Amino acid sequence: MSLTIKRLSYGIGAEVQGVDLRRPLAQEAIDQIRKAWVENCIMLIRDQDITPQQHIDFSSRFGALDDHAALFKYRHPEFAQIFIVTTRPNADGTPSSTRETGVNWHSDLSYTTRPATGSLLYCVEIPEIGGDTRFTNMFLAYETLSEGMKKLIAPLQAVHSYAWAIHDTTSTRDPAVMKALIDVNPPVTQPMVRRHPETGRLALYVSEGITTHIAGMTREESQGILQYLFAHSVRPEFTYRHHWRPGDMIMWDNRSTMHQALRDRVPGTHRHMHRTTVLGEPSGALYDAAA
Ligand code: SIN
């Protein structure tokens, strides 16, 4: 199989062409995709028509998959490895609890001690307008900091907590759902700079959606540094904005990117996505506020 890989933007992303995910790929093709994915941070694969099982089979070639036990209400009824991000209302007419999943910049599962290596999001339904996702390159975000800032943050750990999302006063997410998620995911500390295990490159590892403060500092003391890093890390030249088509899949590397689902959907239109999550290597520790 001959694969063509084309860059998507200056800062981040590539598209691989010539892949049919309905069939098992040769190891050589997987190796080629993995190399280009890790180098470009996100990989787009268009025009696929796959079942949940085919999505799982392809994703599993990149590592063990999460069964989304902590988010069990939102996983596919028959396929635990498929997490459903949807704006379609529930069967009883109530709003979907995942209609606002990922609206703040974040890296998947950074609020746990086993953050995700990768996530593979597949588009089932998308409105004609909106439903976009933005991605940013955290290698570039780190590499473009001053030497002084790099030195300052190199030894620091930051606290990552799902609880942070509850402070988003514009969110319409169900507070009971948020509380349940916080209960099973106590705050953790993560290094502010992470070395990518495959490329050796350093990446900034803080996000507006999940990072609450710098460990060992008060929230007020942390804010100046963090607010600067949050704004710097999403400079337009590091980012790519994807307008989905049904059949698109994007796989992103959570060790070198952040992403954000935009609230740019026209009311009354729907977006329905399936996501698999590739588990990563252990990182960080449970946060001990007293320490
Ligand atoms: C997510 O944060 O995993 C979902 C992103 C999206 O729906 O665009």
Side-chain angles (χ1 to χ4, degrees):
M1 179 182 286
S2 103
L3 303 183
T4 308
I5 294 179
K6 289 190 172 162
R7 280 177 62 181
L8 284 176
S9 72
Y10 163 79
I12 182 168
E15 177 179 352
V16 59
Q17 294 168 344
V19 180
D20 179 353
L21 300 184
R22 289 171 304 180
R23 301 182 211 306
L25 296 182
Q27 190 55 42
E28 198 189 329
I30 294 289
D31 293 345
Q32 207 182 330
I33 292 171
R34 185 170 192 117
K35 183 168 179 297
W37 170 53
V38 164
E39 279 169 7
N40 293 283
C41 306
I42 72 168
M43 178 65 77
L44 167 65
I45 311 174
R46 284 209 190 262
D47 300 323
Q48 302 299 312
D49 182 11
I50 52 170
T51 63
Q53 188 59 55
Q54 286 162 340
H55 184 171
I56 291 168
D57 291 345
F58 175 65
S59 307
S60 309
R61 305 290 294 274
F62 299 92
L65 301 185
D66 192 7
D67 64 2
H68 305 112
L71 299 163
F72 66 93
K73 277 194 188 160
Y74 317 120
R75 58 190 183 186
H76 193 290
E78 289 156 60
F79 300 92
Q81 293 94 341
I82 301 269
F83 174 66
I84 298 182
V85 180
T86 190
T87 63
R88 291 179 187 165
N90 299 320
D92 62 3
T94 53
S96 156
S97 291
T98 59
R99 70 195 184 284
E100 291 206 349
T101 291
V103 295
N104 299 112
W105 283 107
H106 66 286
S107 168
D108 291 331
L109 304 189
S110 76
Y111 54 87
T112 74
T113 51
R114 200 167 175 202
T117 289
S119 305
L120 293 91
L121 190 66
Y122 176 67
C123 177
V124 178
E125 179 187 0
I126 197 78
E128 207 175 299
I129 295 178
D132 296 0
T133 307
R134 289 204 295 167
F135 298 90
T136 197
N137 182 332
M138 297 300 269
F139 290 140
L140 283 184
Y142 174 76
E143 287 160 4
T144 51
L145 292 172
S146 68
E147 289 310 310
M149 181 60 94
K150 285 180 187 162
K151 221 179 254 174
L152 175 74
I153 63 175
L156 298 180
Q157 304 273 320
V159 180
H160 290 227
S161 170
Y162 214 94
W164 199 232
I166 221 160
H167 298 292
D168 179 357
T169 50
T170 63
S171 171
T172 56
R173 291 167 100 177
D174 181 348
V177 171
M178 296 299 292
K179 184 172 178 327
L181 284 169
I182 293 159
D183 289 347
V184 288
N185 293 294
V188 302
T189 53
Q190 295 288 356
M192 287 180 66
V193 180
R194 264 181 106 188
R195 188 173 292 284
H196 193 285
E198 293 177 64
T199 65
R201 278 173 88 181
L202 294 173
L204 191 58
Y205 197 53
V206 291
S207 70
E208 191 167 23
I210 298 292
T211 308
T212 59
H213 62 288
I214 298 171
M217 294 188 194
T218 63
R219 288 182 188 223
E220 292 72 20
E221 287 167 343
S222 309
Q223 283 316 302
I225 300 170
L226 286 179
Q227 289 302 333
Y228 173 76
L229 294 175
F230 295 157
H232 170 79
S233 56
V234 298
R235 273 166 49 177
E237 62 270 34
F238 306 154
T239 68
Y240 167 72
R241 175 174 175 158
H242 188 65
H243 181 61
W244 297 88
R245 301 198 306 228
D248 282 355
M249 175 179 284
I250 292 190
M251 46 195 290
W252 61 85
D253 186 339
N254 286 293
R255 302 162 298 181
S256 59
T257 64
M258 287 195 299
H259 58 281
Q260 177 194 41
L262 296 179
R263 290 181 180 136
D264 61 348
R265 195 172 40 87
V266 177
T269 61
H270 286 295
R271 179 183 195 264
H272 190 81
M273 317 288 278
H274 286 177
R275 193 186 95 192
T276 52
T277 313
V278 181
L279 291 169
E281 49 282 335
S283 172
L286 282 181
Y287 173 50
D288 178 355

